Amino acid sequence: MIVLLTGLAGCGKTTISKEISALWKMPLINVHEALHNIAVGQGLLKARDWISKVGVESALLFVRTFTLNSLEMNINSKGVIVDEVLDIETFELIKKSLKVRSPELIQITA
């Protein structure tokens, strides 16, 4: 199973994804953490600073590539959880690219 979480900042995606990951023993891919690490590596404070610097389209291309590569490397027999699917196009790309049953998209609202 592939579980993709989406929702507004601060709504609990990361908290929920960590709990599900621990409970179901599934690897967790945290997209925001990857963006944050890139930003910090370039001397910026936040992921949104990096997105502003490179532009939204470049950031989305990175996120899509990172997510697909991470899914392929981290999926186990139980599946994988992705914390932070940024847009529907990324969701559709994941569905199309992976030869597994359709991922579960869970939208978290506060």
Side-chain angles (χ1 to χ4, degrees):
M1 173 182 355
I2 299 173
V3 179
L4 310 170
L5 288 96
T6 186
L8 297 174
C11 69
K13 295 180 301 293
T14 300
T15 300
I16 292 169
S17 64
K18 286 178 180 177
E19 290 293 323
I20 294 171
S21 175
L23 183 66
W24 292 350
K25 303 201 182 349
M26 293 169 65
L28 172 61
I29 299 167
N30 186 323
V31 174
H32 182 79
E33 184 177 293
L35 293 175
H36 178 75
N37 289 339
I38 289 171
V40 169
Q42 294 185 11
L44 303 168
L45 294 177
K46 298 183 180 228
R48 68 175 164 235
D49 298 332
W50 178 77
I51 293 168
S52 294
K53 179 180 175 183
V54 301
V56 172
E57 289 303 316
S58 293
L60 281 172
L61 178 61
F62 168 81
V63 165
R64 291 176 184 138
T65 303
F66 169 81
T67 302
L68 288 175
N69 289 341
S70 296
L71 280 167
E72 290 175 8
M73 291 187 315
N74 290 292
I75 195 166
N76 68 19
S77 61
K78 293 183 179 187
V80 67
I81 299 167
V82 179
D83 176 358
E84 193 96 32
V85 175
L86 297 179
D87 66 332
I88 195 67
E89 190 172 328
T90 302
F91 174 70
E92 293 298 331
L93 182 63
I94 291 168
K95 278 178 35 177
K96 182 179 176 183
S97 297
L98 297 174
K99 305 296 184 223
V100 296
R101 69 173 229 226
S102 183
E104 302 294 329
L105 180 64
I106 301 171
Q107 183 170 3
I108 309 295
T109 57

